């Protein structure tokens, strides 16, 4: 949830003259997996050392290096032994509070999530052994430390804070005024350890305090932090980006290569992962589409991990940012847009076309939720001749319904409804009962006609489009499978199958909707592996086609 906000922190600091580096902790985002059995806090401290060293190389030995840390990232930053100047602690928490809050979300959600794996602790998108969890819990509350240079920043408006880190993506929102105030703190004398609410000082260009020739490093990720350089003039004109990297995939004991690209006229950021020294290997290729308006690393970094797993076995993979999402978003966009866009379909298809041209391979497109809809709605001419759709709940083909939904989504009202258990979708009002009656009793052909007009959610509409020139597999967890059946998806599946369309539907209990549980994440990777012929997925999970 912090990606957009931390990116804007970096951008606003850059506008003020700082040079900025954003960092993703090992085990999150583009950084991929953390070494198995490692102490997470020790690994994150080493990550911080890399960022600090990079800043030092940029500006030389004499300028101070500052840090910005968000939430548990503030605890990592505050306990670092590196010689930081200021350490700006944004919404700091102890490791114990962090773990308690995020493990509690699983219990409080009310959802029927897959079982936790044996041993250890799960939080959203991450699993820690008992020893690893204990190391995180041992991180102290940074506000109780007396380390020199600590600058705690706790938002007075708690709604601002919660929308930064404590809500689902559709509710998340960066706040420009809060970010501007945070950046201004870099130029202030360090506050006392307990001074959470010291007023920021405005910095005017051209004054003695103007950081116009100074440097900043800021980080993003589940436990975000970063580093900042200040104090004098540094010549960084010789810096050049690194666009190629090599990763070791421990699971298969193989190295893979990764390239950063810019695709299309709008130079969309993209990541191409492939076997070392090779592109097409005859094993196929894959495009991985993220959910919601998430960045291209996918569901809490899973697609970054999966791309490297695929490349380790000879399958090149592509991940591309969509317009307005991740690092493809504009710097004036403070919240997620409606991600159900034909533009997003075209962006994913652009990545598939580039991948096919580069490798000569048949391309499999795999997407979660919104990403599944984008893959399914790709044109019949797409290079994605095999499509894997995980937990899709959107069965309208047009944009208009989704535009209205996102435009009218009153975040505060919905949250209040959830708090008071009065969510209108849960109430059995006359309108709800009438909809259910229509859904069950209306002749199917009329139901389908309304679906083609984008009025109700009719699975056949999207399934028919997706299967015109492709083989398509739909996988559903428990709640999403029930929704598919309620919307008469089995009837549409039977009709299309009789017409010779290559469609498979599987109900997979191990899948939670957003792939937060470890069992869900492992299962999703197995499903994508099987679609590419790299492993076998149990036949008993495939639903029998309706008669």
């Amino acid at each position: 949830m912090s990606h957009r906000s931390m990116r804007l922190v970096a951008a606003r600091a850059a506008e003020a003259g700082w040079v900025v580096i954003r960092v993703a902790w090992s085990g999150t985002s583009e950084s991929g997996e953390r070494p198995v059995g490692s102490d997470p806090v020790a690994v994150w401290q080493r990550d911080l050392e890399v960022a600090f060293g990079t800043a030092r190389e940029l500006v030389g030995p004499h300028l101070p290096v500052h840090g910005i840390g968000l939430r548990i990232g503030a605890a990592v930053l505050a306990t670092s032994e590196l010689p930081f100047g200021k350490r700006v602690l944004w919404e700091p928490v102890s490791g114990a509070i962090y773990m308690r809050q995020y493990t509690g979300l699983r219990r409080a959600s009310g959802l029927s999530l897959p079982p936790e794996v044996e041993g250890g602790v799960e939080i959203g998108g991450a699993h820690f052994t008992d020893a690893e969890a204990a190391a995180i819990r041992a991180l102290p509350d940074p506000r109780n430390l007396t380390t020199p240079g600590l600058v705690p920043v706790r938002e007075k408006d708690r709604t601002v804070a919660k929308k930064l880190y404590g809500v689902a993506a559709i509710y998340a929102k960066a706040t420009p005024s809060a970010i501007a105030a945070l950046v201004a703190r870099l130029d202030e004398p360090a506050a006392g350890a307990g001074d959470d609410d010291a007023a920021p000082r405005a910095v005017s260009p051209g004054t003695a305090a103007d950081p116009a020739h100074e440097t900043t490093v800021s980080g993003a990720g589940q436990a975000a932090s970063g580093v900042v350089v200040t104090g004098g003039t540094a010549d960084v004109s010789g810096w050049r980006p690194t666009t190629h990297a090599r990763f070791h995939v421990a699971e298969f004991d193989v190295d893979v290569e990764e390239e950063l690209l810019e695709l299309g006229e709008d130079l969309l950021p993209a990541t191409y992962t492939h076997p070392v020294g090779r592109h097409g290997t005859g094993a196929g290729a894959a495009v991985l589409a993220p959910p919601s308006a998430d960045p291209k690393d996918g569901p809490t970094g899973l697609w970054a991990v999966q791309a490297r797993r695929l490349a380790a076995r000879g399958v090149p993979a592509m991940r591309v940012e969509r317009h307005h999402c991740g690092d493809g978003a504009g710097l004036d966009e403070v919240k997620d847009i409606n991600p159900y866009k034909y533009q997003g379909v075209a962006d994913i298809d652009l990545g598939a076309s580039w991948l096919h041209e580069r490798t000569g391979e048949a391309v499999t497109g795999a997407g979660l939720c919104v990403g599944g809809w984008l893959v399914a709605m790709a044109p019949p001419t797409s290079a994605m001749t095999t499509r894997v759709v995980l937990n899709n709940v959107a069965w309208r083909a047009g944009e208009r319904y989704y535009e209205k939904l996102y435009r009218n989504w009153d975040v505060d009202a919905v949250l209040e409804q959830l708090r008071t258990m009065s969510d209108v979708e849960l109430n059995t009002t006359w309108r709800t009962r009438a909809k259910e009656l229509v859904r069950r009793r209306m002749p199917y052909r009329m139901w389908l006609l309304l679906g083609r007009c984008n009025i109700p959610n009719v699975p056949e509409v999207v399934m028919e489009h997706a299967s015109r020139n492709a083989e398509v597999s739909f996988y559903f967890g428990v709640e999403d499978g029930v929704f598919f059946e309620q919307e008469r998806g089995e009837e549409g599946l039977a009709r299309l199958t009789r017409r010779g369309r290559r469609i498979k539907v599987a109900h997979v209990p191990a899948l939670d909707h957003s792939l937060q549980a470890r069992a869900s994440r492992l299962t999703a990777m197995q499903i994508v592996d099987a679609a590419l012929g790299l492993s076998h997925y149990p036949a008993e999970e495939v639903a029998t086609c309706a008669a």
Side-chain angles (χ1 to χ4, degrees):
M1 298 305 101
S2 65
H3 182 279
R4 187 179 296 267
S5 290
M6 293 304 285
R7 181 168 178 260
L8 291 178
V9 168
R12 298 301 169 243
E15 288 175 348
W18 307 88
V19 176
V20 184
I21 302 171
R22 280 182 293 142
V23 182
W25 298 120
S26 293
T28 72
S29 190
E30 295 287 337
S31 293
E33 294 185 291
R34 180 174 49 81
V36 175
S38 59
D39 178 335
V41 176
V43 171
W44 296 335
Q45 291 289 4
R46 287 197 293 272
D47 293 342
L48 203 54
E49 290 177 15
V50 172
F52 185 95
T54 302
R56 178 61 69 218
E57 290 175 6
L58 278 169
V59 300
H62 303 300
L63 301 181
V65 176
H66 301 319
I68 299 175
L70 172 64
R71 298 278 287 165
I72 194 175
V76 176
L77 176 64
T79 55
S80 170
E81 295 181 358
L82 294 167
F84 283 99
K86 295 189 190 73
R87 306 180 194 222
V88 179
L89 314 175
W90 197 12
E91 290 295 310
V93 293
S94 68
I97 289 176
Y98 177 84
M99 293 296 284
R100 184 166 66 247
Q101 288 177 344
Y102 285 96
T103 54
L105 281 177
R106 184 184 179 99
R107 294 188 298 272
S109 67
L111 296 176
S112 177
L113 293 176
E116 295 188 28
V117 296
E118 289 294 327
V121 177
E122 288 190 22
I123 63 173
H127 175 268
F128 301 100
T129 66
D130 290 333
E132 292 167 349
I136 296 173
R137 290 191 182 101
L139 279 168
D141 187 330
R143 293 172 295 179
N144 296 333
L145 300 178
T146 58
T147 307
L150 298 185
V151 184
V153 178
R154 192 168 186 270
E155 301 298 335
K156 291 182 177 180
D157 184 342
R158 301 315 296 160
T159 301
V160 168
K162 294 293 175 62
K163 289 181 182 178
L164 171 65
Y165 62 80
V167 294
I170 194 171
Y171 307 126
K173 183 178 181 181
T175 304
S177 58
I179 289 172
L182 182 80
V183 171
R185 302 298 289 265
L186 294 171
D187 194 54
E188 291 185 335
D195 187 7
D196 286 4
D197 299 313
R201 177 169 62 84
V203 179
S204 300
T207 67
D210 178 22
H213 304 289
E214 302 166 357
T215 308
T216 307
V217 185
S218 155
Q222 191 171 37
S225 89
V227 275
V228 181
V229 180
T230 182
T233 301
D235 180 6
V236 295
S237 60
W239 178 83
R240 295 293 181 272
T242 298
T243 57
H244 291 71
R246 189 160 172 161
F247 294 88
H248 184 72
V249 182
E251 181 182 353
F252 302 103
D253 195 23
V254 172
D255 284 0
V256 300
E257 292 182 318
E258 202 156 83
E259 301 177 26
L260 300 182
L261 309 170
E262 292 178 325
L263 301 185
E265 294 181 356
D266 293 332
L267 304 179
L268 291 176
T271 303
Y272 170 52
T273 313
H274 59 91
V276 173
R278 297 181 296 165
H279 299 284
T281 67
V287 170
L288 303 173
S292 191
D294 287 4
K296 58 183 168 61
D297 62 81
T300 53
L302 185 63
W303 282 172
V305 172
Q306 179 68 349
R308 293 163 194 167
R309 292 181 73 255
L310 294 175
R313 291 167 291 168
V315 177
M318 166 63 69
R319 296 177 293 116
V320 59
E321 296 282 31
R322 294 158 285 159
H323 286 78
H324 312 291
C325 301
D327 285 331
L331 295 177
D332 58 347
E333 297 177 83
V334 298
K335 66 185 295 292
D336 286 354
I337 62 155
N338 162 33
Y340 290 97
K341 303 280 287 185
Y342 292 142
Q343 178 67 70
V345 173
D347 294 340
I348 298 298
D349 195 44
L350 173 65
S353 296
W354 186 97
L355 184 62
H356 177 65
E357 291 172 7
R358 179 68 174 268
T359 66
E361 298 281 354
V363 177
T364 294
L368 171 67
C369 190
V370 172
W373 185 87
L374 298 173
V375 165
M377 290 304 298
T381 55
S382 174
M384 292 183 284
T385 53
T386 301
R387 306 182 190 186
V388 177
V389 179
L390 302 173
N391 285 339
N392 181 52
V393 293
W395 300 108
R396 292 171 175 85
E399 293 181 350
R400 187 173 62 181
Y401 169 83
Y402 306 109
E403 288 288 357
K404 181 179 178 181
L405 174 67
Y406 277 75
R407 184 175 61 250
N408 295 338
W409 200 288
D410 185 334
V411 172
D412 294 322
V414 171
L415 289 175
E416 179 60 28
Q417 288 169 347
L418 292 174
R419 279 194 294 270
T420 59
M421 297 302 294
S422 61
D423 189 344
V424 294
E425 292 299 322
L426 300 178
N427 288 339
T428 55
T429 62
W430 68 268
R431 190 170 183 175
T432 303
R433 291 193 295 271
K435 285 182 179 179
E436 181 59 27
L437 186 63
V438 168
R439 183 184 287 113
R440 287 188 288 108
R441 299 291 181 85
M442 178 177 286
Y444 183 78
R445 289 184 180 276
M446 186 175 295
W447 174 252
L448 178 59
L449 178 63
L450 290 176
R452 287 172 176 159
C453 296
N454 291 312
I455 299 172
N457 232 1
V458 179
E460 184 175 341
V461 173
V462 171
M463 289 195 295
E464 192 279 330
H465 180 95
S467 60
R468 286 178 186 175
N469 250 353
E471 180 178 344
V472 189
S473 299
F474 294 88
Y475 293 86
F476 301 107
V478 176
E479 285 81 12
D480 298 324
V482 169
F483 185 67
F484 174 77
E485 293 172 348
Q486 286 176 340
E487 301 290 35
R488 305 178 71 171
E490 295 287 357
E491 294 176 71
L493 174 63
R495 280 170 43 88
L496 293 170
T497 302
R498 288 196 295 268
R499 289 165 54 188
R501 296 297 182 90
R502 297 171 295 163
I503 303 176
K504 180 175 74 175
V505 169
H507 296 274
V508 186
L511 292 179
D512 71 74
H513 179 76
S514 298
L515 304 184
Q516 295 292 296
R518 180 168 175 78
S520 292
R521 297 167 73 78
L522 295 174
T523 299
M525 291 193 293
Q526 291 170 357
I527 288 170
V528 176
D529 287 352
L532 288 154
L534 299 175
S535 66
H536 173 69
Y537 194 72
E540 60 268 19
E541 297 286 5
V542 179
T544 302
C545 178

